[in-house]
């Protein structure tokens, strides 16, 4: 794992956000990215280009490199070789504040702190008004359950959100993301802890959150993958299939086999 090092930004400046528009997608590129843990190569040389506004799902067996890609894009790590670009700018050249504003990672266990629902949602945008918080909750389908709770938006979530169900916690994390309005949203197994009814509610919220944004989705549940514009199938850190979900499903290849296994697991 390479250490974070300062780079002098020689790439074009990121496009400014347009007034009144949030969540404008940006182009993401992985160029000859190599990365490994403790001498073991996970990504031997990855090239991916994601146009602005496209939703891409990464699928593959455990250890294929999906979560590593998500963490590299969120810059938890830097590549050993190669580079990751956001609108042509190397992530290592971006100030942390800019990077965290542009790219948001949502995982299966987003942290909720002791406090109110409103306080937890406001983490996505500390200056958000009560009206903005309520509008975000309504947009993702969380307003009804919040208002049904004693105290509504001021209801206390408890330690690590223990007073809420897994689905409710995830909706609040999506509310944060909606308020943050990132250009790029990364979902790493964001629905894996939910039951089927909870997943359906979250699926509806996802369609709202992803609109107009560049997104990278990692999911073993292929029902989540179906909302993607494009699927990339990984094996040993390399791309074995790349295309629209329906086309890959009809092709009878790796994605088709993964989809059949997933359907069988539901029986």
């Amino acid at each position: 794992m390479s250490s974070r090092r300062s780079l002098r930004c020689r790439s074009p400046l990121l496009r400014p956000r347009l007034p009144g528009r949030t969540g404008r997608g940006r182009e993401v590129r992985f160029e000859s990215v190599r990365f490994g843990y403790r001498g073991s190569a996970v990504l031997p040389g990855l090239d991916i280009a994601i146009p602005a506004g496209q939703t891409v799902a990464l699928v593959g067996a455990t250890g294929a490199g999906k979560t590593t890609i998500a963490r590299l894009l969120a810059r938890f790590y830097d590549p050993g070789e190669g580079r990751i670009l956001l609108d042509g700018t190397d992530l290592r050249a971006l100030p942390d504040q800019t990077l965290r504003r542009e790219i948001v990672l949502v995982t299966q266990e987003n942290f909720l702190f002791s406090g109110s629902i409103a306080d937890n949602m406001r983490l996505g945008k500390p200056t958000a008004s009560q009206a903005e918080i309520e509008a975000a909750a309504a947009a993702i389908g969380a307003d009804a359950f919040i208002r049904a709770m004693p105290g509504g938006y001021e209801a206390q979530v408890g330690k690590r959100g223990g007073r809420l169900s897994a689905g409710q916690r995830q909706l609040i994390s999506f509310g944060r993301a909606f308020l943050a309005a990132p250009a790029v949203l990364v979902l790493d197994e964001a629905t894996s802890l939910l039951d089927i009814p909870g997943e359906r509610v979250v699926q509806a919220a996802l369609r709202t959150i992803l609109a107009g944004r560049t997104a990278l989705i990692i999911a073993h549940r292929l029902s989540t993958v179906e909302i993607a514009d494009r699927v990339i199938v990984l094996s040993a850190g390399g791309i074995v299939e790349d295309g629209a979900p329906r086309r890959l499903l009809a092709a009878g290849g790796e994605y088709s086999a993964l989809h059949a296994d997933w359907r069988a697991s539901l029986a």
Side-chain angles (χ1 to χ4, degrees):
M1 171 177 21
S2 64
S3 60
R4 289 194 173 189
R5 54 189 182 280
S6 62
L7 292 181
R8 183 172 295 171
C9 180
R10 297 176 180 174
S11 302
L13 294 176
L14 291 173
R15 296 193 304 268
R17 291 172 181 259
L18 297 179
R21 289 188 67 180
T22 57
R24 185 182 185 188
R26 300 197 187 278
E27 180 192 54
V28 172
R29 298 184 72 91
F30 285 69
E31 293 185 346
S32 302
V33 171
R34 296 175 62 90
F35 183 82
Y37 301 95
R38 298 178 182 177
S40 176
V42 177
L43 304 178
L46 183 70
D47 289 285
I48 299 177
I50 305 175
Q54 187 176 74
T55 296
V56 175
L58 298 181
V59 302
T62 300
K66 304 183 298 297
T67 291
T68 296
I69 291 171
R71 291 176 179 175
L72 284 167
L73 182 53
R75 212 184 163 212
F76 289 0
Y77 312 127
D78 287 333
E81 296 179 25
R83 58 185 189 159
I84 304 170
L85 307 175
L86 185 67
D87 268 4
T89 300
D90 193 311
L91 295 187
R92 292 168 290 194
L94 293 175
D96 279 349
Q97 184 177 7
T98 300
L99 180 70
R100 301 306 166 204
R101 183 181 69 242
E102 295 289 333
I103 302 175
V104 168
L105 172 66
V106 178
T107 67
Q108 62 184 340
E109 293 182 339
N110 272 278
F111 178 77
L112 297 189
F113 58 86
S114 296
S116 71
I117 290 175
D119 289 339
N120 273 276
M121 289 185 63
R122 194 174 278 114
L123 190 63
K125 183 183 177 182
T127 60
S129 66
Q130 185 66 25
E132 287 177 303
I133 291 171
E134 292 178 12
I140 62 169
D143 183 69
F145 95 76
I146 294 173
R147 291 187 184 277
M149 296 185 67
Y153 284 85
E154 295 308 310
Q156 299 296 299
V157 303
K159 185 177 180 180
R160 302 184 66 86
R163 293 180 181 173
L164 304 177
S165 70
Q168 290 170 339
R169 290 194 297 271
Q170 201 63 305
L171 283 175
I172 289 175
S173 72
F174 286 164
R176 286 176 177 170
F178 190 90
L179 285 168
V184 180
L185 187 61
V186 185
L187 305 177
D188 187 2
E189 297 290 2
T191 63
S192 64
L193 295 181
L194 307 181
D195 56 21
I196 298 301
E199 183 187 24
R200 287 173 181 159
V201 172
V202 168
Q203 289 279 49
L206 276 178
R207 294 184 186 278
T208 300
I209 295 171
L210 298 182
R213 296 188 171 92
T214 306
L216 192 67
I217 298 175
I218 298 169
H220 283 95
R221 287 184 177 180
L222 297 192
S223 53
T224 303
V225 172
E226 290 171 354
I227 66 175
D229 302 311
R230 173 183 169 199
V231 173
I232 294 176
V233 183
L234 297 171
S235 178
I239 298 173
V240 294
E241 287 184 352
D242 185 349
R246 290 186 179 181
R247 183 175 69 80
L248 294 185
L249 192 59
E254 292 289 330
Y255 178 68
S256 180
L258 287 169
H259 196 275
D261 289 343
W262 169 71
R263 296 289 297 179
S265 72
L266 300 178

